[in-house]
């Protein structure tokens, strides 16, 4: 670029380089850029000139999607096949018993008098006892791991709790029979002594008097519930811990900045954010407790009537009934057992589906309250 003077003596810039343009205003620069084609649009671009944001899935994405859909479809197909199998095999027994199958307490398929009222009551009572004991243990353990422990101690605690889920049911059953039962009987006697005014905690003899002999407190639904509670603690703890650890750090620090204590921060931030995890974990553990077999089978003394006294000897469950009678069952008795299994399958399926829905719908933020 060179400078020259016009007739008035003012300097004027001349451009001799090709491709170099002199603009009078800044707006001319933007105008020139607007009309300059920077990116060549494909022939399939949108008519208004906007670039298409549609992406083509890669080969690995397509394979992953196919495998994921196949795995989900196979799982659903297996569940439907199990339900269909139980329904078909239980058909002959259900045709004989009808609706009385849900209300009859006795179990005698050979005489045509059979039902699951007693065993279903025992199943639910043991599961509720287990949940009542396991819920505070799981809640406290999950809060300890997520809010108190740090570093290696936290990792060891997580590993230890997760390893509890790998302990076989028969080990818990043996531990309950040979160690826990004799140590729980004094506790059962104390509860019966001071809380016998609550019907479920009373332990009576056949003549109606209060029982005090230790043999009246063995093999009870309470002892079975204690054992099952320790079996479902890892499931509850893992789900609650993951939910609590998702609470946003910003809101934790904001609670501390406002002068909150650690417990105040937990009640104001962590527990509201983990509400879905608490409910979902509890319901999933309830489904696990309903289906427990070996530990309950080894502890309880099977009976076929509704026992409202949970501290007293004698209880039953659907899974224990199937394990007890399957080997010696006739064709029709086997159909009756299949009907009991179908009932337990449907109950567990409903509980697990409800729990999964609650966990999936739990938000990552606390719900605002009016």
């Amino acid at each position: 670029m060179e400078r020259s003077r016009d007739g008035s003596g003012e300097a004027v810039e001349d451009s001799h380089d090709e491709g170099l343009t002199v603009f009078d205003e800044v707006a001319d620069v933007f105008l020139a850029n607007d009309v300059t084609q920077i990116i060549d649009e494909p022939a399939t671009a949108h008519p208004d000139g906007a670039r298409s944001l549609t992406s083509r899935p890669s080969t690995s994405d397509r394979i992953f999607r196919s495998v994921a859909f196949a795995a989900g479809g196979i799982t659903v197909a297996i569940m439907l096949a199990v339900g269909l199998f139980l329904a078909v095999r239980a058909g002959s027994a259900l045709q004989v018993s009808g609706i009385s199958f849900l209300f009859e307490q006795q179990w005698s398929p050979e005489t045509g008098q059979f039902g699951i009222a007693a065993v279903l009551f025992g199943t639910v009572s043991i599961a509720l006892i287990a949940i009542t004991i396991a819920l505070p243990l799981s809640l406290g353990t999950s809060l300890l791991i997520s809010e108190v422990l740090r570093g290696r101690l936290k990792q060891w605690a997580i590993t230890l709790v997760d390893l509890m889920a790998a302990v076989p049911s028969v080990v818990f059953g043996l531990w309950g029979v040979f160690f826990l039962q004799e140590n729980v009987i004094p506790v059962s006697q104390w509860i019966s002594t001071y809380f016998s005014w609550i019907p479920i905690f009373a332990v009576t003899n056949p003549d109606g008097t209060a029982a005090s002999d230790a043999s009246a407190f063995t093999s009870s639904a309470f002892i079975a519930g204690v054992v099952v509670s320790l079996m479902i603690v890892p499931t509850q703890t893992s789900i609650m811990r993951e939910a609590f650890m998702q609470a946003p750090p910003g809101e934790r620090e904001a609670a501390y900045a406002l002068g909150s204590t650690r417990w105040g921060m937990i009640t104001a931030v962590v527990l509201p954010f983990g509400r879905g995890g608490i409910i979902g974990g509890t319901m999933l553990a309830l489904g696990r407790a309903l289906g427990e077999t070996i530990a309950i089978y080894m502890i309880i003394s099977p009976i076929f009537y509704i026992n409202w006294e949970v501290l007293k000897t004698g209880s039953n469950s659907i899974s224990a009934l199937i394990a007890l009678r399957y080997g010696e069952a006739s064709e029709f008795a086997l159909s009756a057992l299949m009907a009991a299994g179908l009932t337990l399958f449907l109950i567990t399926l409903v509980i697990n589906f409800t729990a999964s829905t609650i966990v999936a719908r739990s938000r990552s933020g606390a719900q605002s309250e009016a």
Side-chain angles (χ1 to χ4, degrees):
M1 182 176 296
E2 298 179 356
R3 288 178 177 274
S4 61
R5 295 183 179 275
D6 57 4
S8 60
E10 296 181 357
V12 179
E13 293 183 354
D14 296 331
S15 176
H16 299 292
D17 299 334
E18 295 183 1
L20 186 61
T21 307
V22 178
F23 301 102
D24 294 331
E25 298 179 358
V26 177
D28 296 336
V29 179
F30 294 104
L31 181 62
N33 288 337
D34 289 340
V35 299
T36 302
Q37 185 176 2
I38 299 176
I39 300 177
D40 294 333
E41 296 293 340
T44 59
H46 196 273
D48 61 2
R51 291 194 302 167
S52 175
L53 298 179
T54 303
S55 61
R56 293 182 178 180
S58 62
T59 303
S60 58
D61 288 338
R62 289 195 295 267
I63 294 175
F64 173 77
R65 182 179 298 179
S66 300
V67 172
F69 274 108
I74 291 174
T75 302
V76 174
I78 292 175
M79 296 297 295
L80 293 176
V82 171
L84 181 62
F85 167 78
L86 292 174
V88 171
R89 294 296 300 271
S92 58
L94 292 177
Q95 288 178 357
V96 173
S97 63
I99 193 63
S100 64
F101 180 75
L102 298 175
F103 305 101
E104 176 61 44
Q105 299 185 33
Q106 296 299 318
W107 185 265
S108 180
E110 292 76 9
T111 61
Q113 187 178 8
F114 60 95
I116 60 170
V119 292
L120 182 59
F121 176 83
T123 302
V124 175
S125 62
I126 292 174
L128 291 180
I129 293 171
I131 288 295
T132 302
I133 299 173
L135 179 58
L137 289 177
S138 302
L139 186 61
T141 305
S142 58
L143 288 175
L144 174 68
I145 294 175
S146 63
E147 306 302 324
V148 179
L149 300 182
R150 295 292 183 270
R152 288 187 176 182
L153 187 59
K154 180 176 181 177
Q155 295 301 322
W156 289 344
I158 293 175
T159 303
L160 183 62
V161 172
D162 291 342
L163 285 176
M164 287 180 61
V167 178
S169 299
V170 65
V171 175
F172 280 101
L174 292 172
W175 173 74
V177 171
F178 294 105
F179 175 79
L180 182 66
Q181 183 166 244
E182 63 181 12
N183 292 281
V184 171
I185 288 177
V187 178
S188 300
Q189 291 174 325
W190 182 87
I191 295 175
S192 177
T193 300
Y194 293 98
F195 296 94
S196 58
W197 51 273
I198 302 176
I200 61 174
F201 294 143
V203 178
T204 59
N205 294 314
D207 57 0
T209 60
S212 58
D213 188 13
S215 61
F217 296 87
T218 60
S219 304
S220 63
F222 177 70
I223 297 176
V226 173
V227 175
V228 174
S229 68
L230 298 181
M231 299 176 64
I232 63 177
V233 161
T235 302
Q236 283 184 281
T237 302
S238 298
I239 296 176
M240 293 181 188
R241 184 191 71 238
E242 292 297 330
F244 293 156
M245 294 178 66
Q246 291 178 3
E251 299 206 13
R252 295 171 182 262
E253 298 300 329
Y256 285 131
L258 292 174
S260 176
T261 61
R262 175 179 290 178
W263 176 245
M265 182 274 296
I266 290 174
T267 56
V269 178
V270 177
L271 292 180
F273 275 85
R275 187 177 304 164
I278 296 174
I279 299 174
T282 301
M283 296 188 69
L284 287 175
L286 177 60
R288 171 74 172 82
L290 289 172
E292 178 52 40
T293 304
I294 299 300
I296 297 177
Y297 173 75
M298 297 177 65
I299 294 173
I300 62 172
S301 177
I303 58 174
F304 292 99
Y305 61 89
I306 295 178
N307 181 15
W308 293 94
E309 301 174 352
V310 297
L311 301 176
K312 187 178 180 180
T313 300
S315 185
N316 214 330
S317 71
I318 295 178
S319 56
L321 170 66
I322 296 174
L324 177 65
R325 298 297 182 92
Y326 179 79
E328 58 185 19
S330 62
E331 186 66 24
F332 183 77
L334 185 60
S335 178
L337 292 176
M338 292 293 179
L342 177 63
T343 305
L344 181 61
F345 173 80
L346 294 177
I347 294 174
T348 307
L349 188 64
V350 170
I351 291 176
N352 289 339
F353 178 78
T354 305
S356 300
T357 303
I358 293 175
V359 172
R361 291 184 178 182
S362 61
R363 300 184 300 177
S364 60
Q367 295 181 357
S368 59
E369 297 180 1

